[in-house]
Structures are given as structure tokens and as C-alpha cells.
């Protein structure tokens, strides 16, 4: 009998089998007897048993991020989701992925219910087969193949199709759920089951008992006998809604069962402000009661009874009853396999219905404001953009006390939560603000000749001239951690280059970022472009921001290598400019100066070890081992309390060595350093190419030929001779500031300043020129003459 228990699909025991479980009866649908289930669920050491999610029903969730707390969930599968494109038969792949997601959530301890279409489509498929098979053999034999294909099939009545398809649909669901150790139970309802008080209580009791026994109820309208919908009092209050389609059924069921979340899956991404597919249609991220007037509904889907208007009405009715609602796409092959779990995790999927309007604009609205503000910014005169930046620099010093007070709040809240290097990054000071102001004024000076600069002029033919000019990239999204001083730097670079800007700072710097953004907007206001720089203060996750490919042109992460990797993975069609890691090397050549080496190593490693341009691996020429120079390096590192890790070759030279390094590709970000031995400059270059991250690499030598060989052959963004790795910085390079350091091989590498935020466009000026005039027998010939580039007045 125990084998029957396992076969039923109720296999929470398959990892830790329980030989003491006895079962005398297996109830219908291959379920364990309720008393046995209660016994098992009370056994606290079963991995399957999870602590119930705490959730007091009565009010819908205000934000997507709260959806992870949903305990009781209804998933409504529309006809377009369940059926194939030919409307005859089921989309088995989609159904399988939906069942898997529902099972995952059920096994997390949530209570899942399905409201499903599909019986009519499944029945239509079966009845069509029956009709074809019932044709006489003689008719089939004497008909040509083409005639057989064109054999007339009568119009099939929907109720008959539902009756023929319901049992097969349930058998399919049962088989699929069994694979995930879950039982399913079928419930067919009509309008009367909700409006007759006794039947309503019976239905309620049945559903609660099934949920208590960890069974997934699969609910459908009884399409075989359902009467026409009552067109009278739909949606006239929480207790009145006619069950005329599965949208209204799902809403009624959700409110009746006091569910936390209703997920409505359809064949569109969610609710649009105009019919999907139209030129100006925009997906509505969050929909609020009363917003119906701003939406133009299109036609119904190819199958099913309810269109989007019916879904919205049902969703608002459920929302009024205290159930949160999300309408999303359940048919897209790239997202349908995780759409349900993504919604429950709070990710930005589909349209979320909320009764709580945010105080400020949505991130989509901020993106649009940054786009329009950036375009206005780009049309300003260079002197006007420079004036904005100068004003911001003045505000940083004039409002110093307010900025430092806000930063003090951040530091107090972060105390004990952030590591010391991160606290140092978070901290602002008078000297930092003064340096910021100086850097901003450098940016203002360089902005005089940035946007609209002519790079190339060509005379294509007589009276046909071509120009290549610099233009802004568009809208930048800069995501930064801990460092509030990043905000005015990046803002100034965006202003100088005429780009719109979305800023997403870390929570740990919320107070500092807020006042710095206000000062930035105050500076922008002097020329009426306040909205060009936006600070994202909503609960948007970074992953959700990376999906806004229609609003953002370039993502620039500033932070840990893990942050960069996460953003590169999450970005959906948006280029990401950033460095993967800051594994910086310094090669000490045999001809290195004793006086220079220790200064350079100390500054590169110890001045700011958390920076991405800090030294991580020191390469020593083998001839320097056991020399006074080598001893001086080791003594200095010990005084500075730097923990040394030995590379494999270095360890082989020592009897008692430091701990051997676990990996030569390590960015420590702290007072730790790897030392390795190399045979010559070529060996050092090979090591850097194999283990480095193409960030910043240095040679220390007095031999000019060796130095030039190193400079020309090391393929990194920054390559130095007798200089600290810490010079790899936009401010120190004279760029004023940087939006980040790029190690990728795109248009910008190393510290990315103003030039890296510009692209180009081509301007062609002609006089009635057509290509046909340049054909073999045409009247014109191409000249392709280079023309002088006009010099702009930057005074």
C-alpha cells in the first residue's frame, strides 16, 4: 500500500522515506487519506513541511515587492494560454511549465488554486477525430487524398465539446501534477453555486478542505450545462458578480476564498493604454481604480469569452474585495516558463493592480522625463550647459553643512551593517566636496566643445556635403553603491554631454543622494531642464530597471564586480559599460629603482585598498629574490599590515612561505596582496594576459626599452610606467570625473569621461541629389574630398 502512496504523486517522502507511514485507503484522484495527511503534516522534521506564510487577509498588497508574502494564490489560465494556435487541442509545453511553477509554489507552503479553460478546445479536438473516424471506410477509400482533407466537418457546439473534453483535461492535469508529488482535484461550478447560499457554503467548505489537505483545486465553469450569463448586476459590489466567463469566475473565487493574489494569464504582456500592437500602445506597469478612462480596449482574444475589458473589470472587482491582481502573458516562450514564479517573487511582470498610488512618478514616467529633458539639454548652447555645472559646483560648497548632515544620518544608520571599506566609500567630508567642485569645473570647461563637434567633413559631390558630428547617447542608467559623491560627478558628465540620466543609488546612501539630487535639479532649473536628471526612489529592483530597453540606451554600473556581473546578466537588450573586476598588476623589473618601488607599491595597495584600481598582484623578477630591494618591499607590506599570499612559483622558492594563493584571479579589495615570481618582462605580460582583468597594469623599471615593450604589448585599458595604479581615475586623468572604468573593448575604455558618453550622427546637405545621377550613365561623379573641419570658439 505504501507504493500506492508514492504513486499518487504525494511524494514529500521520496527524499526521506518514512517506513512507519501506513495507509489503508487511497482516495479518488490518487490522494492519501486525509487523516494520514494530517499525521504527516504534523511531523515537523519532514523537509516538505514549511512554516505557513503569515498573511492577514482584508487588504490588497500596495507594492509588487510584497507579493512574495502571498500565501493563497489563484492562477487563471485563459483559453489563449491553454489552447494551441489552431484552437484545436492543448498547448502541452505551456501547460507543463505552468504546472511546474504552480507545484514549486505549492511545495513552498503556499495554497495554490487553478481556474482553467481548455475543456472546449480539448473536446473539439476529440470530437473532430471521432467525426473523421466515423466516416465509412468506403467513403474514405473512394475519396482522393485532397477530398479527404477537405471533408466537411459540422460546426461543433461548445457545450458538447466541453462535455467531451473535461475528463481528458483533468486527466492531463492530474498526470502532470503527479510528477511533482502533488494531488489535484476537479471542481465544476456555475453561477448558481455562488448565488445559492447553501451551495456557496458547500463550495467554500470543499475548497478549504482540499487546501487543508495540500491538494490543488482545479476550478472551471461547467460549460456543458452553464446557462447564459445574467446581464443584470455584474460588478455592482463585492458580493455580486455573475460567473459568465473564467475571468469573472477567478475573481469571484479569489474573493470568496480570501486569496492574497490572483494571477490572470493571457496572450498579451498585460494591460496597455491602447490596443496591443498599435503604434503608441504602452504597457501599464501599475493600474489603479479610476484609471479606466485612460485605457482604450481592443477586441477579444482569438479564443475565450472575455476580452481585456472583462479582465480589468474582474480584476478591479477582486481588488475591491482585498485580493491583489496581476495580468501577464502566459504564452511567450521566453517568459512563460517562469512568469508565475517571477510574479510571486515581486518582479516587474505584467500589470499590477494596486489601490495605493505612489507619491511620485513611476520609473517609466521618470524615464520619459529623462528622455525629453535630455533632448532639451542637448539643444542648449555649450555655455548654458557649462553654466549649469558651475552652479552645481557652487552649490556643493555653499550647501556643505546640509550635505554633511544628511551624510551623517547615512553613516549612523550604516554603522555596524557595512564593512569598514564600504563605510569609507559612504563618507563625505569637506575635502571631498571641495575636490568634487574642482572636478565639476573641469567638466564644465571641457563641455564647451563636446556636443555637436564636427569630426569629419566630406564633399560627396558638387553641392553635396557630409558631416559626422557628436551627439548624446540618449538616456543613461547609472547604478552605484555606497558612494554618494558619484551622483554629482555622473550628473555633471551627463549634463555636459547632453544625456538624460536615471540614477539608482544604494539604500545606504539614501539621505545623501536625496540632497545631492535636489541640488542637481536646482542647478538644472536655471535653464529649464530640471527633469533631465532623475533619481529612482521607488521600490524598483535593479533587475526590473534593466528590462526598460525602450527607455534606456546605456547602463553604467559603478560598484563591486558582482554588481557588474548581475547587471550584465539582467540587462535585456541594453548595452552595459563596466569593468568585470579590478585585478591590477605591478611588475617590478630587474632594473627597477630601489627608491621608487616601495613608494609605488605602498600607494597602489595601501592608499585605498577597496578601490577597483588598487594593486592586487605584485610580479617580481626572479633576480630580485633575496635582495635588499625585495626585503624592503616585504618589510613595508608588514608595517602596513598587508596579508601576503604566495603564487605557486613564489611559494616554490621559500622554505616557510605565506599561505599559497587559492586563485591568481582574485580581487581582494582589502589589505591583501598576491606576490608571484616571473622570469622576464614577457613572462610578466603573459601572466597579466592570463590572469588579469584588463583594468590597470604597471611596470617599474629604469630600462626605457623594456618599459616601452611592456606599454605596447600589455592589452589593458590603462598601462603605466613607474606610476601608481591609483592614477587610473577620471579626475586624475583630467577628465573632471568619470562615470566608471570600462574594461570592455567598445568605444570607450579606461576611465570614461565626457567623450565616452557621446556617439555620432551623419548630416548630409544636398540640392535635389538622387542616387541614379551617379550610375554608370549618370550625369554626376562621386568626389569624396576631405574638407577642413571648422574650429569652434570655446572662449
Amino acid at each position: 500500500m505504501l507504493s500506492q502512496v508514492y504513486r499518487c504523486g504525494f511524494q514529500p517522502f521520496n527524499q526521506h522515506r518514512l517506513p512507519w507511514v501506513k495507509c489503508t485507503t487511497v482516495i479518488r484522484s490518487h490522494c492519501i487519506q486525509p487523516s494520514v495527511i494530517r499525521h504527516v503534516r504534523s511531523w515537523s522534521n519532514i523537509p516538505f513541511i514549511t512554516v505557513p506564510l503569515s498573511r492577514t487577509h482584508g487588504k490588497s498588497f500596495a507594492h509588487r515587492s510584497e507579493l512574495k508574502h502571498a500565501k493563497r494564490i489563484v492562477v487563471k489560465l485563459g483559453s489563449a494560454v491553454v489552447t494551441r494556435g489552431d484552437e484545436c487541442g492543448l498547448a502541452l509545453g505551456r501547460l507543463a511549465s505552468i504546472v511546474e511553477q504552480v507545484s514549486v509554489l505549492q511545495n513552498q507552503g503556499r495554497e495554490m488554486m487553478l481556474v482553467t479553460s481548455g475543456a472546449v478546445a480539448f473536446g473539439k479536438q476529440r470530437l473532430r477525430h471521432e467525426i473523421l473516424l466515423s466516416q465509412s471506410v468506403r467513403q474514405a477509400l473512394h475519396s482522393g487524398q485532397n477530398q479527404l482533407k477537405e471533408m466537411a466537418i459540422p460546426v461543433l457546439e461548445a457545450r458538447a465539446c466541453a462535455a467531451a473534453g473535461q475528463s481528458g483535461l483533468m486527466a492531463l492535469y492530474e498526470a502532470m501534477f503527479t510528477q511533482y508529488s502533488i494531488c489535484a482535484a476537479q471542481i465544476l461550478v456555475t453561477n448558481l453555486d455562488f448565488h445559492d447560499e447553501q451551495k456557496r457554503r458547500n463550495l467554500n467548505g470543499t475548497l478549504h478542505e482540499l487546501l487543508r489537505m495540500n491538494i490543488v483545486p482545479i476550478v472551471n465553469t461547467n460549460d456543458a450545462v452553464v446557462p447564459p450569463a445574467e446581464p443584470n448586476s455584474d460588478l455592482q459590489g463585492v458580493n455580486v458578480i455573475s460567473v459568465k466567463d473564467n475571468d469573472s469566475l477567478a475573481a469571484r473565487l479569489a474573493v470568496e476564498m480570501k486569496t492574497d493574489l490572483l494571477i490572470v494569464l493571457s496572450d498579451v504582456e498585460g494591460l496597455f493604454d491602447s490596443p496591443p500592437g498599435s503604434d503608441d500602445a504602452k504597457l501599464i506597469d501599475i493600474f489603479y481604480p479610476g484609471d479606466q478612462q485612460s485605457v482604450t480596449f481592443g477586441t477579444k482574444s482569438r479564443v475565450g469569452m472575455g476580452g481585456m475589458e472583462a479582465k480589468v473589470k474582474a480584476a478591479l472587482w477582486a481588488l475591491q474585495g482585498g485580493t491583489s491582481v496581476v495580468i501577464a502573458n502566459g504564452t511567450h516562450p521566453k517568459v512563460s516558463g517562469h512568469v508565475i514564479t517571477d510574479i510571486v517573487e515581486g518582479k516587474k511582470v505584467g500589470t499590477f493592480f494596486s489601490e495605493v498610488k505612489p507619491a511620485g512618478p513611476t520609473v517609466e514616467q521618470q524615464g520619459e522625463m529623462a528622455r525629453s529633458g535630455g533632448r532639451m539639454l542637448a539643444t542648449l548652447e555649450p555655455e548654458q550647459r557649462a553654466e549649469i555645472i558651475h552652479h552645481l559646483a557652487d552649490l556643493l560648497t555653499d550647501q556643505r553643512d546640509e550635505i554633511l548632515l544628511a551624510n551623517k544620518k547615512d553613516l549612523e544608520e550604516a554603522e555596524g551593517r557595512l564593512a569598514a571599506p564600504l563605510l569609507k566609500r559612504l563618507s563625505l567630508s569637506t575635502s571631498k566636496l571641495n575636490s568634487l567642485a574642482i572636478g565639476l569645473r573641469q567638466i564644465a570647461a571641457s563641455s564647451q566643445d563636446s556636443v555637436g563637434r564636427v569630426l569629419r567633413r566630406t564633399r560627396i559631390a558638387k553641392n553635396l556635403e557630409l558631416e559626422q558630428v557628436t551627439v548624446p547617447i540618449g538616456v543613461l542608467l547609472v547604478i552605484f553603491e555606497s558612494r554618494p559623491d558619484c551622483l554629482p560627478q555622473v550628473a555633471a558628465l551627463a549634463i555636459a554631454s547632453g544625456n538624460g540620466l536615471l540614477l539608482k543609488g544604494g539604500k545606504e546612501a539614501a539621505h545623501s543622494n536625496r540632497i545631492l539630487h535636489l541640488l542637481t535639479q536646482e542647478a538644472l532649473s536655471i535653464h529649464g531642464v530640471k527633469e533631465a536628471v532623475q533619481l529612482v526612489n521607488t521600490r524598483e529592483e535593479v533587475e526590473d530597471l534593466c528590462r526598460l530597453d525602450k527607455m534606456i540606451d546605456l547602463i553604467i554600473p559603478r560598484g563591486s564586480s558582482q554588481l557588474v556581473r548581475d547587471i550584465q546578466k539582467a540587462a535585456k537588450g541594453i548595452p552595459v559599460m563596466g569593468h568585470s573586476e579590478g585585478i591590477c598588476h605591478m611588475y617590478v623589473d630587474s632594473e627597477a629603482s630601489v627608491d621608487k618601488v616601495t613608494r609605488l607599491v605602498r600607494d597602489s595597495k595601501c592608499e585605498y585598498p577597496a578601490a577597483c584600481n588598487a594593486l592586487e598582484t605584485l610580479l617580481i623578477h626572479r633576480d630580485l629574490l633575496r635582495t635588499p630591494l625585495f626585503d624592503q618591499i616585504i618589510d613595508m607590506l608588514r608595517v602596513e599590515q598587508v596579508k601576503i599570499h604566495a603564487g605557486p612559483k613564489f611559494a616554490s622558492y621559500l622554505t616557510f612561505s605565506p599561505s599559497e594563493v587559492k586563485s591568481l584571479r582574485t580581487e581582494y579589495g582589502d589589505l591583501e596582496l598576491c606576490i608571484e615570481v616571473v622570469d622576464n618582462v614577457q613572462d610578466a605580460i603573459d601572466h597579466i594576459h592570463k590572469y588579469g582583468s584588463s583594468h590597470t597594469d604597471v611596470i617599474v623599471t629604469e630600462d626605457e626599452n623594456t618599459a616601452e615593450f611592456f606599454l605596447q604589448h600589455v592589452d589593458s585599458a590603462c598601462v603605466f610606467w613607474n606610476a601608481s595604479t591609483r592614477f587610473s581615475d577620471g579626475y586624475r586623468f583630467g577628465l573632471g570625473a568619470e562615470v566608471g572604468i570600462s574594461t570592455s573593448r567598445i568605444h570607450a575604455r579606461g576611465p570614461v569621461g565626457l567623450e565616452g558618453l557621446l556617439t555620432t550622427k551623419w548630416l548630409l546637405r544636398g540640392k535635389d541629389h538622387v542616387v541614379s545621377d551617379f550610375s554608370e550613365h549618370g550625369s554626376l561623379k562621386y568626389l569624396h574630398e576631405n574638407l577642413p573641419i571648422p574650429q569652434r570658439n570655446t572662449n
Side-chain angles (χ1 to χ4, degrees):
M1 184 57 67
L2 187 60
S3 63
Q4 289 180 290
V5 173
Y6 291 130
R7 190 181 67 250
C8 82
F10 212 92
Q11 297 178 2
F13 323 112
N14 56 7
Q15 292 181 350
H16 300 273
R17 292 183 178 270
L18 306 177
W20 48 265
V21 174
K22 295 184 179 179
C23 182
T24 57
T25 307
V26 177
I27 65 175
R28 193 164 182 252
S29 296
H30 303 300
C31 291
I32 301 175
Q33 189 175 357
S35 61
V36 176
I37 294 173
R38 283 193 292 271
H39 190 157
V40 173
R41 288 175 68 85
S42 65
W43 198 263
S44 60
N45 64 351
I46 307 298
F48 176 81
I49 309 302
T50 57
V51 178
L53 297 162
S54 59
R55 162 77 172 145
T56 303
H57 186 81
K59 193 172 183 181
S60 61
F61 294 117
H63 305 283
R64 282 185 187 269
S65 59
E66 298 171 343
L67 295 180
K68 62 176 69 74
H69 302 301
K71 175 175 173 57
R72 185 171 291 175
I73 303 170
V74 172
V75 179
K76 184 265 178 179
L77 308 179
S79 300
V81 176
V82 176
T83 62
R84 296 199 313 242
D86 60 6
E87 302 174 25
C88 183
L90 303 181
L92 296 179
R94 285 200 294 265
L95 273 184
S97 66
I98 287 168
V99 167
E100 180 179 19
Q101 294 172 80
V102 170
S103 300
V104 167
L105 295 173
Q106 181 82 2
N107 283 331
Q108 288 176 356
R110 305 180 199 268
E111 297 174 341
M112 304 298 297
M113 291 180 277
L114 279 184
V115 174
T116 180
S117 303
V120 173
F122 199 19
K124 185 186 292 185
Q125 183 186 39
R126 295 182 65 181
L127 292 180
R128 280 184 176 181
H129 288 168
E130 288 300 320
I131 290 171
L132 289 173
L133 291 173
S134 66
Q135 304 291 337
S136 66
V137 175
R138 181 173 299 177
Q139 182 181 359
L141 290 173
H142 288 281
S143 299
Q145 188 65 27
N146 291 335
Q147 290 175 311
L148 189 61
K149 288 181 179 178
E150 296 170 1
M151 190 177 294
I153 298 176
V155 176
L156 300 174
E157 207 277 328
R159 290 189 179 88
C161 290
Q166 189 65 43
S167 60
L169 179 65
M170 275 308 302
L172 181 63
Y173 273 121
E174 186 174 287
M176 287 182 172
F177 274 113
T178 295
Q179 302 304 311
Y180 300 98
S181 310
I182 289 175
C183 278
Q186 173 183 247
I187 298 179
L188 297 176
V189 298
T190 65
N191 218 10
L192 188 61
D193 295 313
F194 289 101
H195 290 284
D196 182 283
E197 189 60 32
Q198 183 58 48
K199 290 188 175 183
R200 181 166 163 257
R201 283 199 299 267
N202 292 343
L203 174 62
N204 195 297
T206 300
L207 288 167
H208 276 95
E209 183 66 10
L210 290 172
L211 294 176
R212 188 184 64 81
M213 294 189 297
N214 204 46
I215 295 172
V216 175
I218 300 179
V219 187
N220 196 359
T221 53
N222 194 349
D223 293 325
V225 300
V226 67
E230 300 174 11
N232 49 9
S233 55
D234 274 9
L235 312 169
Q236 295 302 310
V238 172
N239 295 319
V240 181
I241 182 172
S242 294
V243 177
K244 61 181 181 180
D245 54 40
N246 277 337
D247 295 316
S248 52
L249 168 60
R252 181 65 195 249
L253 179 68
V255 174
E256 186 73 27
M257 294 298 294
K258 295 182 171 59
T259 58
D260 304 314
L261 173 61
L262 167 61
I263 299 174
V264 179
L265 296 184
S266 181
D267 58 351
V268 292
E269 281 71 20
L271 178 60
F272 288 78
D273 57 359
S274 55
S278 59
D279 291 339
D280 298 325
K282 293 181 181 178
L283 179 66
I284 298 173
D285 173 41
I286 306 177
F287 191 79
Y288 306 99
D291 284 355
Q292 296 93 312
Q293 295 80 5
S294 62
V295 178
T296 303
F297 294 101
T299 58
K300 296 180 180 180
S301 66
R302 59 178 175 82
V303 288
M305 297 179 62
M308 185 55 73
E309 188 170 9
K311 290 177 175 57
V312 171
K313 287 182 178 179
L316 291 173
W317 190 88
L319 189 68
Q320 183 185 358
T323 296
S324 295
V325 184
V326 175
I327 296 177
N329 191 337
T331 63
H332 196 292
K334 290 186 177 180
V335 298
S336 58
H338 47 79
V339 60
I340 299 173
T341 49
D342 279 355
I343 289 170
V344 176
E345 288 173 10
K347 293 183 180 179
K348 201 165 191 174
V349 179
T351 300
F352 172 62
F353 286 71
S354 175
E355 292 186 301
V356 181
K357 281 200 172 187
T362 65
V363 70
E364 288 82 6
Q365 292 170 330
Q366 287 186 293
E368 291 176 358
M369 289 189 287
R371 173 79 68 191
S372 59
R375 285 172 177 163
M376 291 176 62
L377 188 63
T379 61
L380 295 178
E381 293 297 324
E383 297 79 12
Q384 293 174 307
R385 289 192 294 272
E387 187 180 352
I388 293 171
I389 300 170
H390 275 296
H391 188 48
L392 177 56
D394 293 339
L395 288 171
L396 290 179
T397 53
D398 294 345
Q399 305 294 325
R400 180 188 302 111
D401 293 341
E402 289 81 356
I403 297 170
L404 295 179
L405 182 62
N407 185 244
K408 183 181 178 183
K409 291 180 182 177
D410 287 326
L411 290 170
E412 289 173 350
E413 293 175 7
E415 191 69 40
R417 295 190 300 110
L418 292 183
L422 292 179
L423 279 174
K424 186 175 181 181
R425 287 187 179 189
L426 178 60
S427 174
L428 292 176
S429 63
T430 299
S431 61
K432 269 191 179 182
L433 293 176
N434 289 337
S435 296
L436 273 174
I438 294 171
L440 263 58
R441 293 187 178 98
Q442 289 179 350
I443 295 171
S446 61
S447 71
Q448 298 288 330
D449 187 27
S450 55
V451 180
R453 177 162 52 92
V454 179
L455 301 179
R456 177 186 303 180
R457 290 181 68 223
T458 305
R459 180 177 287 119
I460 303 295
K462 184 179 180 181
N463 295 324
L464 184 63
E465 294 187 1
L466 179 68
E467 283 186 348
Q468 184 185 20
V469 300
T470 57
V471 293
I473 288 175
V475 175
L476 314 175
L477 168 62
V478 178
I479 302 168
F480 56 101
E481 297 174 324
S482 299
R483 293 180 53 179
D485 54 326
C486 174
L487 193 152
Q489 290 178 333
V490 172
L493 287 169
I495 294 166
S497 57
N499 285 289
L501 179 62
L502 285 175
L503 292 158
K504 176 67 173 175
K507 296 177 182 178
E508 65 280 356
H511 299 293
S512 305
N513 289 338
R514 189 176 300 113
I515 188 169
L516 290 170
H517 177 248
L518 288 173
L519 296 177
T520 302
Q521 290 199 313
E522 181 179 338
L524 288 162
S525 298
I526 65 175
H527 287 295
V529 286
K530 176 181 177 182
E531 295 179 341
V533 177
Q534 299 286 326
L535 179 65
V536 178
N537 284 319
T538 60
R539 298 192 180 192
E540 303 294 333
E541 298 294 331
V542 168
E543 186 174 343
D544 293 329
L545 292 172
C546 292
R547 290 193 176 106
L548 301 177
D549 58 307
K550 293 182 180 178
M551 298 181 180
I552 297 167
D553 299 297
L554 179 66
I555 301 175
I556 305 173
R558 291 194 61 169
S560 66
S561 57
Q562 185 61 50
L563 172 71
V564 177
R565 284 194 295 269
D566 290 345
I567 290 172
Q568 288 172 332
K569 183 178 179 181
K572 306 297 181 183
I574 308 175
V576 178
M577 182 166 65
H579 64 87
S580 55
E581 291 171 306
I583 305 175
C584 303
H585 294 77
M586 180 177 288
Y587 165 56
V588 181
D589 184 56
S590 59
E591 300 298 323
S593 166
V594 176
D595 297 331
K596 294 176 182 177
V597 171
T598 52
R599 277 172 46 82
L600 291 172
V601 173
R602 179 188 289 109
D603 190 78
S604 297
K605 177 73 259 185
C606 308
E607 196 266 343
Y608 191 1
C612 64
N613 57 13
L615 176 64
E616 305 294 3
T617 299
L618 182 64
L619 302 176
I620 304 285
H621 193 289
R622 66 178 180 182
D623 291 348
L624 297 178
L625 291 178
R626 302 184 180 88
T627 65
L629 184 148
F630 179 77
D631 293 339
Q632 285 184 22
I633 295 173
I634 298 300
D635 290 342
M636 181 274 295
L637 292 173
R638 285 174 178 164
V639 170
E640 296 290 343
Q641 298 182 332
V642 176
K643 182 178 181 181
I644 297 174
H645 302 276
K649 290 183 181 178
F650 181 42
S652 68
Y653 281 95
L654 305 174
T655 305
F656 300 100
S657 67
S659 60
E660 186 169 340
V661 69
K662 294 180 180 179
S663 171
L664 291 168
R665 293 190 180 94
T666 301
E667 181 180 15
Y668 298 103
D670 205 346
L671 287 174
E672 297 183 57
L673 180 69
C674 172
I675 297 180
E676 181 59 309
V677 174
V678 291
D679 294 335
N680 49 49
V681 65
Q682 184 61 59
D683 195 15
I685 292 170
D686 292 341
H687 180 103
I688 289 169
H689 287 166
K690 184 174 183 179
Y691 299 108
S693 61
S694 301
H695 192 294
T696 302
D697 298 293
V698 175
I699 182 172
V700 183
T701 184
E702 297 304 303
D703 188 317
E704 184 176 351
N705 292 330
T706 302
E708 288 299 326
F709 185 85
F710 184 90
L711 293 174
Q712 297 303 321
H713 287 80
V714 172
D715 184 20
S716 296
C718 300
V719 188
F720 301 162
W721 173 22
N722 287 349
S724 168
T725 61
R726 297 278 290 119
F727 278 105
S728 182
D729 174 84
Y731 173 73
R732 298 182 182 110
F733 275 16
L735 305 178
E738 66 189 39
V739 292
I741 294 182
S742 171
T743 57
S744 55
R745 286 162 174 80
I746 55 175
H747 73 290
R749 291 186 76 193
V752 180
L754 179 56
E755 294 292 327
L757 300 182
L758 296 171
T759 184
T760 64
K761 70 178 180 182
W762 298 88
L763 305 177
L764 184 63
R765 297 178 177 90
K767 291 185 178 179
D768 195 30
H769 286 81
V770 294
V771 170
S772 58
D773 286 343
F774 294 85
S775 63
E776 184 178 354
H777 302 291
S779 59
L780 295 176
K781 301 295 182 182
Y782 288 112
L783 299 176
H784 293 148
E785 296 176 356
N786 291 328
L787 298 175
I789 297 173
Q791 298 299 313
R792 294 179 61 172
N793 182 9
T794 59
N795 293 329

